[in-house]
């Protein structure tokens, strides 16, 4: 059907609907479809997470330990960490590689775990916020920086920021404030608490330098 045919069909609608009514209907329908696809995605993931539906047993190195989990081939690392391994320190914000809340280190490199398939990390080392403190319970210097400066408001974004900062400071141990801000630009804070966060991360960098000199 051509564009003109389509327009004629709408204009000659027999049930008294105006062109505007029809267009409105299409828009509302479109919203319903996009909401449905979002819900469908969540419910699909939930239903597929039921044991036995295409899962394979996988062993992976998380926080220095060999961990085993039944994993679907389309399952994300964030999902496995939170729902299969109980490591809920890794947060899920957008679940689409935009906010950085789910940041973990894979072989020392920060990644959005919501956008990494779990089976791809089989031979790699995953570090989450739970693995940062020393075995004796001493906090990582960057974590200590957050406490020292009382950074973060609700702290939902905090694990992601800390993991990104830890990785960045490996490449630049003595950054300026703006270099560190640039290094953390892949992380978003819904409370918009960026100034305090940066102060806490700068303190973390200082703590880390002091610890490495000791
Ligand atoms: S939850 Fe992964 S980037 Fe937002
Ligand atoms: S402190 Fe609330 S989201 Fe960052």
């Amino acid at each position: 059907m051509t564009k003109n045919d389509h327009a004629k069909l709408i204009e000659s609608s027999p049930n008294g609907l105006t062109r505007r009514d029809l267009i409105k209907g299409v828009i509302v329908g479109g919203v319903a479809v996009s909401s449905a696809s979002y819900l469908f995605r969540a419910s699909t993931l939930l239903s597929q997470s039921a044991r036995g539906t295409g899962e394979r047993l996988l062993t992976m190195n998380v926080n220095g330990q060999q961990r085993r989990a039944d994993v679907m081939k389309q399952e994300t690392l964030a999902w496995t960490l939170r729902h299969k391994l109980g490591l809920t320190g890794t947060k899920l914000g957008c679940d689409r590689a935009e906010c950085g809340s789910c940041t973990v280190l894979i072989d020392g490199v920060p990644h959005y775990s919501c956008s990494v398939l779990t089976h791809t990390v089989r031979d790699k080392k995953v570090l989450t916020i739970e693995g940062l403190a020393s075995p004796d319970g001493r906090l990582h210097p960057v974590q200590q920086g957050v406490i020292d400066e009382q950074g973060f408001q609700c702290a939902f974004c905090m694990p992601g920021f800390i993991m990104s900062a830890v990785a960045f400071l490996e490449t630049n141990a003595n950054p300026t404030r703006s270099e560190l801000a640039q290094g953390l630009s892949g992380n978003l804070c819904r409370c918009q608490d960026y100034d305090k966060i940066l102060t806490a991360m700068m303190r973390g960098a200082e703590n880390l330098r002091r610890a490495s000199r000791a």
Side-chain angles (χ1 to χ4, degrees), residues 48-191:
Q48 286 182 349
S49 72
R51 261 188 89 79
T53 48
E55 291 178 334
R56 291 257 173 90
L57 184 63
L58 192 96
T59 304
M60 59 194 138
N61 188 308
V62 181
N63 298 333
Q65 295 181 331
Q66 292 298 105
R67 301 290 306 267
R68 285 149 71 90
D70 291 314
V71 170
M72 296 172 285
K73 64 175 187 291
Q74 74 274 33
E75 185 169 314
T76 65
L77 181 58
W79 184 271
T80 308
L81 291 171
R82 290 180 55 80
H83 300 287
K84 306 273 176 79
L85 302 182
L87 297 171
T88 53
T90 298
K91 302 300 180 200
L92 261 179
C94 63
D95 202 8
R96 55 195 297 171
E98 284 174 1
C99 72
S101 301
C102 62
T103 304
V104 299
L105 306 193
I106 300 174
D107 286 347
V109 178
H111 282 79
Y112 293 159
S113 61
C114 69
S115 303
V116 172
L117 293 176
T118 307
H119 69 83
T120 65
V121 303
R122 194 187 314 231
D123 306 318
K124 305 188 172 151
K125 290 188 175 152
V126 178
L127 183 66
T128 72
I129 190 79
E130 289 90 346
L132 273 190
S134 319
D136 64 3
R138 213 160 9 98
L139 292 177
H140 186 282
V142 175
Q143 291 175 303
Q144 188 57 49
V146 173
I147 292 179
D148 295 343
E149 294 293 340
Q150 296 290 293
F152 296 93
Q153 208 170 109
C154 78
F156 182 85
C157 62
M158 181 177 67
F161 267 99
I162 291 179
M163 298 312 292
S164 295
V166 167
F168 179 78
L169 293 171
E170 284 288 321
T171 64
N172 181 355
N174 195 6
T176 63
R177 199 172 166 89
S178 79
E179 283 169 343
L180 188 52
Q182 180 72 29
L184 301 177
S185 59
N187 291 74
L188 303 180
C189 169
R190 286 182 294 185
C191 300

Side-chain angles (χ1 to χ4, degrees), residues 183-200:
L184 301 177
S185 59
N187 291 74
L188 303 180
C189 169
R190 286 182 294 185
C191 300
Q192 307 268 305
D193 211 12
Y194 294 110
D195 196 46
K196 253 169 72 186
I197 291 172
L198 208 45
T199 301

